[in-house]
Amino acid sequence: MNKSAARFPAHVLSVLIPVLVMVLTSPKSEAIPAFSRQYHTSCQTCHIAFPKLNDFGKAFKDAGFKFPKDDETFLKVPAVMLGAPAQKDVFPRSVWPGEIPGLPPIGLRMNMFFQATGAKRNQFNVLSAPAAPQFIPATDFETGLFSIFTAGNFGGDIAFWVDDDISVSGQNASGGLGDAYMRFGNIGRFAKLPTDTLNLRVGQFELDLPFTQARTYNLSPYDIYSEANIGAVNAMGAQQNVANQFAFAGAAKGIELSGGHNYGGYHYSVAMFNQNTSGVSQASNSSRYLPSATGGSSGGIGFGSDSSTKDIYARLSYRFNLERDPASRSAIQAAGTTGPHDHTYLNVGSFYLRGNSRQALPGVTLAGGNTLLVAHEPFYRAGGDFSFNIRALNVLGLYMYGRDKNLLPVDSSGNPIPLPFGSTSPLPTSFISSFPAVFHGGFVEADYMILPWIFAIARWDGVHSSADRINALALSPGFPYFGATQSARNRFTPGVQFLIHPNVKASFEYQIRPRQSVTSAVDPVTGLQKLQNPFRVNTALFGLEFVY
């Protein structure tokens, strides 16, 4: 745990963290206003209500941020050629020519929020010292993020994307790099494969999730994407040694192979990326290896991740376009009497992630010498998803199952040792397998375009985690504010969004949160804390944002 965070009461952090996550993980744009300037077209060409893409926007992205057909015809600001086309004829005695966008493809984004929190928000004050009670106000204004992003095409099916939050909540020190990658499209042509069957992406990027978290149109994140499997060995009956901080909400650093299309037919991706299960930023890990200013003895190693083991993520989906007319069904966008529109379609898919969480503990050998015990706990995440779209209505959903192998530290007699180790506790000599730590859940969401500028949303999130429940019940009496009263945590979130202009949007979201408790008693049967007097802290959130 971060040392600075440890100084705050845990029950206060449990109130503030969901609010901060909700604000700081607000969606980033998928396409950028620079594309509107390059093609002299509206944001609605690619978006339904930004950043939600329509079918043409998906094709634009698949093509490497350019029109999927006849791009030169529609491009109003010609690209700058880096070399002459004739250089291709003398390659490799000349550099293969390329191009850069005619205008710097840079966009800016800013958002701001107003939050109203329910009357139960200060129930945890019963736990505070009378002289210094904690307090959450009923209403608050908050700046969101100021972000700069750039994307485009270098010619030859080479695309790029970089987005960086310069300021978050008014603090520029809190910003951070989002996605930053290069994409080499249609590289399968070198092996004479069909068009668009093989692409390569390299850098830092969001995994190819069924529904994006980084560029979601929701104000609050998907709960299942933020779920981590964490459970500590304790003396209260439930034995777990899982400290896997991995969550799908984070960006991956690695490479990805992909193929197919997101607007019809098959799509697949396979990514290999750095493991990050410790919860420590990989930038902090890197500082351990960087040479010092005076010339350290690190040997010049520049960076390091959590482990030599790399995680593997794979996704496979198929989209059935359901238009009656065969020509319309196979087109990038369906067509009708009112012009192009999104297909009526059914998309089904599955995904799988495999990794090994590195666990390292101080221990002793059987001979009594000090040692470092290292174990690699295999874990996986697997699930399925669907999306059904019929004109103005889109219904989508996802289910995920997570499992971590549970390796308990044991002494020389094979008895589990509670964590943290005390002065009277023996150090472990090895690990043994125990019951795995699991969670499952997902979400179902529906959005409906009432008018081209009014967008209604309703979402249900659910997470069932035995580890979360055990952790809450094992705390001292009266301590677990935001401790769920049962293993399943459900949240219902209706909302509505208004496009004031194609690049200016107002949003509203109301979160009906799961029940919580601040009072507890010891269950005489299990010996665990039993949460009492449950209540909810519901939240209304208003957002205003623009892109430029």
Side-chain angles (χ1 to χ4, degrees):
M1 179 181 289
N2 184 286
K3 292 181 179 179
S4 62
R7 292 194 293 265
F8 291 89
H11 58 276
V12 176
L13 286 177
S14 60
V15 177
L16 299 180
I17 287 174
V19 174
L20 290 174
V21 167
M22 177 176 60
V23 173
L24 302 187
T25 61
S26 54
K28 303 175 183 178
S29 297
E30 179 63 64
I32 64 176
F35 298 147
S36 292
R37 290 188 280 271
Q38 288 176 339
Y39 291 91
H40 289 188
T41 188
S42 170
C43 302
Q44 306 310 111
T45 302
C46 290
H47 293 279
I48 296 174
F50 75 91
K52 183 179 174 66
L53 294 173
N54 59 28
D55 278 350
F56 188 84
K58 294 172 184 175
F60 185 88
K61 179 186 176 185
D62 284 351
F65 305 121
K66 62 182 181 179
F67 274 37
K69 292 183 179 180
D70 303 322
D71 182 71
E72 299 83 0
T73 303
F74 296 99
L75 189 64
K76 298 299 188 292
V77 181
V80 176
M81 298 300 298
L82 301 180
Q87 289 179 273
K88 297 179 181 179
D89 299 329
V90 296
F91 181 81
R93 291 187 174 88
S94 176
V95 177
W96 193 271
E99 62 184 50
I100 58 175
L103 285 175
I106 296 174
L108 304 174
R109 179 169 182 245
M110 176 66 191
N111 53 29
M112 54 220 76
F113 300 95
F114 173 76
Q115 177 182 279
T117 309
K120 300 290 187 178
R121 63 191 178 278
N122 287 313
Q123 287 287 94
F124 71 92
N125 272 343
V126 300
L127 309 178
S128 303
Q134 302 295 331
F135 177 73
I136 295 179
T139 58
D140 256 324
F141 294 97
E142 179 63 89
T143 53
L145 59 83
F146 176 66
S147 183
I148 184 170
F149 38 92
T150 180
N153 194 281
F154 289 141
D157 294 316
I158 299 176
F160 65 94
W161 173 284
V162 180
D163 67 83
D164 196 345
D165 296 335
I166 300 174
S167 298
V168 177
S169 299
Q171 302 295 322
N172 53 10
S174 300
L177 185 67
D179 283 9
Y181 62 81
M182 292 186 66
R183 181 182 183 271
F184 300 86
N186 198 27
I187 61 175
R189 66 183 183 275
F190 298 113
K192 301 187 183 303
L193 297 175
T195 303
D196 296 334
T197 56
L198 186 61
N199 310 297
L200 172 66
R201 183 163 61 158
V202 181
Q204 177 169 300
F205 49 84
E206 180 185 43
L207 293 174
D208 182 25
L209 303 177
F211 309 105
T212 176
Q213 172 93 327
R215 283 160 286 277
T216 177
Y217 51 86
N218 296 294
L219 294 183
S220 61
Y222 296 116
D223 290 347
I224 193 67
Y225 282 171
S226 303
E227 183 69 17
N229 220 356
I230 303 171
V233 179
N234 58 71
M236 306 300 291
Q239 299 293 306
Q240 289 190 347
N241 178 39
V242 179
N244 187 353
Q245 298 276 0
F246 172 81
F248 274 110
K253 296 181 180 180
I255 61 173
E256 176 193 79
L257 296 174
S258 65
H261 300 107
N262 285 293
Y263 56 87
Y266 78 92
H267 170 76
Y268 79 89
S269 66
V270 179
M272 179 174 67
F273 57 98
N274 286 346
Q275 181 185 117
N276 189 10
T277 59
S278 67
V280 178
S281 72
Q282 293 180 4
S284 299
N285 289 341
S286 303
S287 65
R288 298 178 301 172
Y289 302 98
L290 291 172
S292 67
T294 57
S297 59
S298 64
I301 300 173
F303 38 83
S305 58
D306 281 357
S307 172
S308 298
T309 302
K310 303 305 174 187
D311 294 346
I312 301 295
Y313 174 81
R315 168 155 173 77
L316 177 64
S317 66
Y318 196 92
R319 182 168 135 168
F320 302 88
N321 288 337
L322 304 177
E323 306 293 330
R324 293 184 178 181
D325 177 42
S328 180
R329 186 165 58 243
S330 59
I332 291 174
Q333 280 189 305
T337 56
T338 58
H341 57 79
D342 276 4
H343 288 280
T344 295
Y345 66 80
L346 174 64
N347 192 97
V348 292
S350 61
F351 58 94
Y352 179 80
L353 182 140
R354 178 76 177 186
N356 286 276
S357 177
R358 185 178 184 271
Q359 304 280 25
L361 298 173
V364 295
T365 65
L366 293 177
N370 293 330
T371 187
L372 180 67
L373 293 179
V374 178
H376 293 275
E377 292 188 326
F379 72 93
Y380 70 83
R381 309 287 184 260
D385 59 273
F386 78 93
S387 179
F388 175 70
N389 186 83
I390 178 168
R391 294 301 179 94
L393 176 66
N394 186 203
V395 181
L396 52 95
L398 175 145
Y399 172 82
M400 182 195 300
Y401 178 83
R403 182 184 187 276
D404 286 59
K405 188 173 183 180
N406 185 13
L407 297 176
L408 300 180
V410 295
D411 59 23
S412 58
S413 300
N415 299 316
I417 303 174
L419 294 174
F421 303 141
S423 57
T424 59
S425 301
L427 292 176
T429 59
S430 61
F431 294 94
I432 62 169
S433 295
S434 184
F435 295 104
V438 300
F439 69 87
H440 63 92
F443 54 86
V444 176
E445 183 165 13
D447 57 64
Y448 182 76
M449 184 184 296
I450 301 172
L451 290 171
W453 55 279
I454 304 178
F455 199 60
I457 301 172
R459 187 173 104 228
W460 173 87
D461 288 81
V463 178
H464 187 287
S465 171
S466 58
D468 287 355
R469 176 65 171 164
I470 290 170
N471 294 341
L473 293 178
L475 296 174
S476 60
F479 198 66
Y481 183 75
F482 263 29
T485 57
Q486 54 187 358
S487 296
R489 307 190 313 276
N490 300 311
R491 178 164 65 99
F492 179 63
T493 311
V496 63
Q497 301 184 2
F498 303 90
L499 287 175
I500 301 173
H501 287 300
N503 67 322
V504 181
K505 184 171 69 173
S507 305
F508 168 75
E509 179 177 287
Y510 187 78
Q511 299 182 43
I512 302 174
R513 295 182 176 276
R515 296 191 305 168
Q516 303 134 42
S517 176
V518 293
T519 59
S520 60
V522 176
D523 188 310
V525 177
T526 64
L528 299 176
Q529 303 298 326
K530 182 179 181 181
L531 304 183
Q532 302 178 122
N533 304 320
F535 61 94
R536 300 180 189 272
V537 178
N538 297 335
T539 304
L541 187 65
F542 300 83
L544 181 64
E545 58 184 318
F546 69 86
V547 291
Y548 169 71

